[in-house]
């Protein structure tokens, strides 16, 4: 007997149960995510510090106009600065930059001071010295979403670093994509 779509059989269906915080985290640990660091400086006359944070929720949103987004907890020590920042920078991390990611994910420290390898860029935003790619953005909108905020920003300036594989976070560990023969040539052809 064939199962109807509204009554899947147990062999084809994973063990489904109501979502709680632990199950939600477990499911998303299975999704591989590229790793980015977002930086921002305190707005104009504010006494808020420049900040940086590791984000695995960074994504493109729109091509026309170009828009990107990332999510941030409202309890994050970076939120007050990000909330008031008119501009921010997003740094795409590459293979071998695990320590950079860990530094910008460490709570309770001055992450920019601990990293040390940055300079002030356009609009006063902190720019990390090395990145796979970099965007300097204008903050467009904050969208409340549960205990987080979705930050939407418009890229104004962009730069591409050395060609290397991206840093990926999966199952609580850092990894990268496997190199395949001819992949680099195929990527150059597509680009």
């Amino acid at each position: 007997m064939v199962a109807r779509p509204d009554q899947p059989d147990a062999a084809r269906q994973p063990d489904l149960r109501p979502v709680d915080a632990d199950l939600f985290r477990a499911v998303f640990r299975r999704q591989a995510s590229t790793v980015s660091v977002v930086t921002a400086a305190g707005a104009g006359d504010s006494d808020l510090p420049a900040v940086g944070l590791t984000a695995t929720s960074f994504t493109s949103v729109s091509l026309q106009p170009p828009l990107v987004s990332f999510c941030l907890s409202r309890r994050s020590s970076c939120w007050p600065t990000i909330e008031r920042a008119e501009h921010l920078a997003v740094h795409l991390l590459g293979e071998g930059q695990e320590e950079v990611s860990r530094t910008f994910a460490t709570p309770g420290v001055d992450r920019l001071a601990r990293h040390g390898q940055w300079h002030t860029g356009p609009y006063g935003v902190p720019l990390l010295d090395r990145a796979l790619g970099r965007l300097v953005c204008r903050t467009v909108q904050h969208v409340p979403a549960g205990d987080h905020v979705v930050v939407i920003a418009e890229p104004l300036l962009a730069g591409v670093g050395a060609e290397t594989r991206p840093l990926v976070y999966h199952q609580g560990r850092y990894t990268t994509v496997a190199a395949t023969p001819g992949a680099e040539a195929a990527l150059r052809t597509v680009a």
Side-chain angles (χ1 to χ4, degrees):
M1 178 166 138
V2 176
R4 296 188 343 226
D6 61 336
Q7 295 180 343
D9 67 28
R12 295 186 323 164
Q13 200 63 10
D15 181 26
L16 296 175
R17 57 187 190 271
V19 175
D20 62 18
D22 291 335
L23 178 57
F24 189 72
R25 280 187 206 100
V27 169
F28 275 90
R29 282 176 62 102
R30 285 159 174 75
Q31 177 181 352
S33 301
T34 57
V35 182
S36 304
V37 169
V38 177
T39 58
D45 60 350
S46 82
D47 59 353
L48 294 170
V51 297
L53 63 118
T54 298
T56 56
S57 60
F58 175 72
T59 189
S60 62
V61 174
S62 168
L63 288 175
Q64 294 298 324
L67 295 172
V68 296
S69 72
F70 66 95
C71 300
L72 174 65
S73 170
R74 285 184 247 190
R75 293 182 308 226
S76 168
S77 61
C78 296
W79 172 237
T81 299
I82 298 288
E83 181 180 30
R84 296 200 42 208
E86 294 179 26
H87 296 89
L88 53 88
V90 179
H91 308 82
L92 308 177
L93 299 187
E95 177 178 37
Q97 292 189 295
E98 296 88 352
E99 193 56 38
V100 177
S101 177
R102 285 187 188 96
T103 296
F104 285 95
T106 303
V109 300
D110 181 338
R111 298 166 183 165
L112 286 163
R114 180 173 279 186
H115 177 62
Q117 299 173 23
W118 65 279
H119 62 278
T120 302
Y123 307 103
V125 299
L127 293 179
L128 304 187
D129 289 347
R130 291 189 310 269
L132 185 60
R134 183 183 296 135
L135 298 168
V136 174
C137 304
R138 178 180 66 85
T139 302
V140 173
Q141 188 176 6
H142 298 141
V143 180
D147 63 354
H148 278 58
V149 174
V150 180
V151 177
I152 300 174
E154 175 187 19
L156 302 175
L157 302 166
V160 177
E163 284 193 34
T164 186
R165 295 181 287 203
L167 183 62
V168 175
Y169 194 70
H170 181 250
Q171 292 282 32
R173 294 186 309 268
Y174 292 101
T175 188
T176 191
V177 293
T180 55
E184 288 79 15
L187 286 174
R188 284 191 292 274
T189 302
V190 172

